[in-house]
Amino acid sequence: MLDNRSLYYQDYQPGDYKSLWRYVDQLARHKLGYPVSLLTYLGIVDNRVLGIQRGSLANVLLNNVGDPFVDSETSLLEVKRHEREVISILERYYGLEKGDVRGYVTTGGTEGNFASLWWTKRYLINMGIDKLIAIDNAMKLEVKQEQELMAELARIPISNVELRLSQLQKIIDIKNNIDEKKNMIQQVLTPTLFYSRGPTHYSIPKIAEILRLNIRPVAPNDDGSINLDEFKKELIFHLGAHPHSPVMVIANIGTTVSGAIDNVPAIHQVLTSTPTKLIYSIHMDGALTGFVLPIIKPFGDVKNYFDAIGVNTMAVSAHKYPGLSQPCGIILARRQFFDKAFEKSERNIEYVGNIVDVTITGSRSGLNVLMFYNALCYLGIDKNNDRIIKLVKENIDNADYLTERLKELFGDEEVSHKHQFNVSFPRPSRALARKYQLMLTGDKATICVLSNVTRKLINQFISDLKIEKEINMGSLKANTDYTIETLQEQYAKEVTDLFVKNFCDSEPITKHLNIRYHDYEPFAKEVVSKAVKEGLSKVILDHNHRVIACAIAEDMADPFIPHAAHYPKLYPIFSLIEELSKPFTEGRKFVRGKILHIWIALVDSAYRGKGLSTIVDMSCIEQAAHKGFDYAYTEFTNDISEKVAKQFNTLQVLNKIKYDDFALENGRKPFSGLAGSAVSYVATIRPGVSLNNLSHCYKTLEKYTTEK
């Protein structure tokens, strides 16, 4: 018989996940009550395709409901003790006294901000409750006086105009007093939120709208931090118009783009130095940088990151730092503040044991809690800060390195690295921005240098940036000297001519076979005709609207299959391409819309050496990625074409055949004596796509035939 929490909680070791699993497994086997169908635990829904194994904590529901400091009586598939451990570790990390922090693990920064502002509104209203009661009592007396005056007015003769006018004036004065007190009550019940306009996280205005808060955006400094002079002015204007409205202030600890940190001690000083006593609360939106506050020490040596700088709440996104694999975060609050916010709470959840729901979502992911706890322990934060100090130093050193490399390309004035991890520079092409997933704002791009941004990756990016910069410095300027369009019927003749000239005049294998224009033209026409219909190919047009470059592409699910009998001189080329493609195509039926086949990149001989081949290829790839394609496959038959491979972050060589070694079925070597090789590649073209998942884009012909 299962004895409540016996199998695990009698001898509690938070890091003993095997014991925790045995306990959870027993609970899952005995669950009757709550409306949860454990389909993944039972194996009815198989999560192994996602890399989640049966018999693991990731494959069973762990649901923390409500306040993490109160265990459920009967909803036992929870890990609230781990959640309390997370809070306890961070309590020490931020320098607070043991037991002085409340909070919970959230889904991320937005929920953390939401919970904080909700708690703060409750706190500020409860702080003003005595004023509310006093105003309400005074208003009740005035309402009674108004009723009495109205009764007296009814008894005054109509002919006594002077007395009636005097009585009416008294009633009007009392009505005005009542309206003024209603306005005072409304002010007390509606806090005013101050934040820096623009750099503050987009969730803040949204949350303010939901919670019905007044908002007063404040002009930021150039780096995105709140302008303290402007804040003082706005606060003075606010107190003049709404003297009874309590105040919330959002202090950014690392804005998203620039990484700016607001001067929290100075904000606190402004709030405490107002002529009238002000009820206020400061919330730190820590997002990324909040997690490393005790390491970077922007306010000097602060022992307590709440009391010492006048803060009540802070939200941190754990998927940003330390970097969990799921969106996750935490909201932390001073216990005194929290208790005041919920001193009159009516949100008890009876069916799980009268737990007070202090959270936004109610049910919360226990797996996120375990991952957060596990990350803190792996980083050693449960014991000391040594490892996190080392990691942060590496991040900042790499950010400095990136800054210097970018300055070599753009100059000191064009590169900004004012705060910790974020480095901004002139915006590159959209293709390069997508490849490296850069943050784009206006004419700037930003890189956030965290542990995944190694010097190897930085060097790779700088190399690509140099190539692009050299292309842009050529005689053809983007958006002025040429335009890029999808290949259409009106360009078919020009593209066919360009195709024929490129391959007959410049391609090593075609020249070696002495292929003439009339030999190649029928093949080129068929390829271009199919490409026009598919709409996956691109052309570059000069200022006269003439085709000067083209990339021809198709869906691997519907490949062009040449008929060698129509153009017999090309048979050796088709045989070479077929042999080159075998490791990728043989025995496979490809899924439509997933793998782009790039046939060729063509450039007019007068425009070569300007990077147009790379530009048109990448434009073709970017369009395909927008349409949902995940991969690109191509065969290169010359070294110039192969330069496009440098544009891919994840690339795999599939096959390579030396021309001199290639033989036909009869043993003849059609390219004997020709130097060089043909190479086939496959690459990812969308962020987050892995080559490991390539098998999802095809079925083997045996399996396909069986299913058919």
Side-chain angles (χ1 to χ4, degrees), residues 155-308:
R155 293 194 291 270
I156 298 174
I158 294 176
S159 59
N160 193 342
V161 175
E162 185 175 342
L163 184 57
R164 286 182 67 83
L165 285 174
S166 174
Q167 193 76 355
L168 281 169
Q169 185 61 54
K170 290 178 183 178
I171 292 171
I172 290 170
D173 290 342
I174 285 181
K175 281 183 176 293
N176 287 338
N177 288 339
I178 292 171
D179 287 342
E180 183 179 346
K181 286 181 174 57
K182 286 180 178 179
N183 180 262
M184 290 168 63
I185 289 173
Q186 187 62 33
Q187 287 186 41
V188 174
L189 294 175
T190 312
T192 299
L193 180 65
F194 290 80
Y195 59 88
S196 59
R197 182 191 299 112
T200 294
H201 193 259
Y202 63 84
S203 67
I204 297 299
K206 174 175 65 177
I207 296 164
E209 180 183 348
I210 295 170
L211 292 176
R212 296 176 180 266
L213 305 174
N214 292 323
I215 59 171
R216 288 196 82 103
V218 179
N221 296 314
D222 290 341
D223 70 347
S225 60
I226 194 167
N227 186 304
L228 291 171
D229 291 334
E230 291 296 320
F231 174 52
K232 289 177 187 176
K233 291 178 186 177
E234 291 292 341
L235 186 61
I236 290 170
F237 291 149
H238 160 73
L239 291 174
H242 304 90
H244 304 285
S245 173
V247 166
M248 305 176 182
V249 181
I250 301 296
N252 290 313
I253 309 301
T255 55
T256 303
V257 176
S258 70
I261 296 176
D262 289 334
N263 189 337
V264 183
I267 292 172
H268 185 229
Q269 178 62 32
V270 170
L271 292 168
T272 55
S273 60
T274 55
T276 57
K277 187 177 180 181
L278 179 66
I279 299 177
Y280 67 88
S281 186
I282 301 174
H283 167 62
M284 291 196 297
D285 182 1
L288 164 66
T289 317
F291 189 82
V292 296
L293 262 182
I295 312 303
I296 61 176
K297 299 182 178 180
F299 314 125
D301 288 322
V302 177
K303 290 184 177 179
N304 183 318
Y305 276 90
F306 283 70
D307 290 351

Side-chain angles (χ1 to χ4, degrees), residues 226-414:
I226 194 167
N227 186 304
L228 291 171
D229 291 334
E230 291 296 320
F231 174 52
K232 289 177 187 176
K233 291 178 186 177
E234 291 292 341
L235 186 61
I236 290 170
F237 291 149
H238 160 73
L239 291 174
H242 304 90
H244 304 285
S245 173
V247 166
M248 305 176 182
V249 181
I250 301 296
N252 290 313
I253 309 301
T255 55
T256 303
V257 176
S258 70
I261 296 176
D262 289 334
N263 189 337
V264 183
I267 292 172
H268 185 229
Q269 178 62 32
V270 170
L271 292 168
T272 55
S273 60
T274 55
T276 57
K277 187 177 180 181
L278 179 66
I279 299 177
Y280 67 88
S281 186
I282 301 174
H283 167 62
M284 291 196 297
D285 182 1
L288 164 66
T289 317
F291 189 82
V292 296
L293 262 182
I295 312 303
I296 61 176
K297 299 182 178 180
F299 314 125
D301 288 322
V302 177
K303 290 184 177 179
N304 183 318
Y305 276 90
F306 283 70
D307 290 351
I309 57 177
V311 169
N312 278 327
T313 57
M314 178 171 69
V316 169
S317 297
H319 57 278
K320 294 177 180 175
Y321 221 120
L324 304 188
S325 59
Q326 299 293 324
C328 176
I330 194 163
I331 172 67
L332 299 173
R334 292 172 61 238
R335 181 171 182 172
Q336 184 180 1
F337 160 92
F338 181 86
D339 290 346
K340 186 68 177 178
F342 287 95
E343 67 179 359
K344 301 180 186 300
S345 179
E346 67 289 347
R347 290 182 175 82
N348 288 7
I349 313 166
E350 180 183 5
Y351 62 83
V352 292
N354 288 315
I355 296 172
V356 177
D357 186 14
V358 299
T359 71
I360 296 296
T361 55
S363 290
R364 294 171 293 106
S365 169
L367 179 59
N368 278 355
V369 171
L370 292 179
M371 288 195 298
F372 201 166
Y373 173 75
N374 190 50
L376 294 177
C377 292
Y378 261 94
L379 292 175
I381 298 174
D382 56 326
K383 298 179 176 63
N384 56 57
N385 298 345
D386 294 347
R387 191 169 183 189
I388 189 73
I389 289 172
K390 182 180 178 182
L391 279 175
V392 172
K393 183 179 184 305
E394 287 176 357
N395 300 154
I396 294 175
D397 286 347
N398 284 339
D400 292 339
Y401 175 74
L402 172 63
T403 301
E404 292 307 311
R405 296 300 308 274
L406 287 169
K407 285 181 177 179
E408 292 171 6
L409 287 176
F410 298 107
D412 292 1
E413 297 300 318
E414 295 294 327

Side-chain angles (χ1 to χ4, degrees), residues 505-629:
D505 295 346
S506 305
E507 194 70 17
I509 55 176
T510 314
K511 291 177 69 177
H512 187 80
L513 296 175
N514 197 27
I515 303 293
R516 304 299 184 185
Y517 288 180
H518 66 273
D519 298 320
Y520 204 82
E521 187 174 10
F523 168 70
K525 279 184 176 179
E526 285 195 53
V527 172
V528 172
S529 176
K530 181 176 183 290
V532 168
K533 293 175 183 176
E534 289 203 18
L536 294 170
S537 303
K538 289 285 187 177
V539 293
I540 296 181
L541 310 173
D542 67 7
H543 62 282
N544 292 320
H545 222 59
R546 186 174 66 88
V547 175
I548 58 174
C550 177
I552 298 179
E554 64 180 0
D555 191 330
M556 281 295 291
D558 182 23
F560 175 79
I561 301 174
H563 297 285
H566 294 176
Y567 9 78
K569 280 194 174 184
L570 302 185
Y571 177 72
I573 296 176
F574 299 149
S575 297
L576 172 66
I577 297 300
E578 183 181 358
E579 187 66 26
L580 188 66
S581 302
K582 274 185 179 179
F584 188 65
T585 61
E586 192 169 41
R588 293 175 178 176
K589 175 69 176 177
F590 292 98
V591 176
R592 183 173 292 277
K594 286 300 178 183
I595 305 176
L596 182 75
H597 179 207
I598 303 174
W599 262 94
I600 37 175
L602 312 165
V603 180
D604 190 303
S605 58
Y607 292 89
R608 289 178 187 164
K610 303 179 185 300
L612 293 185
S613 175
T614 300
I615 291 171
V616 73
D617 266 330
M618 295 312 293
S619 176
C620 192
I621 287 165
E622 184 175 352
Q623 175 183 261
H626 277 301
K627 291 185 175 183
F629 285 80

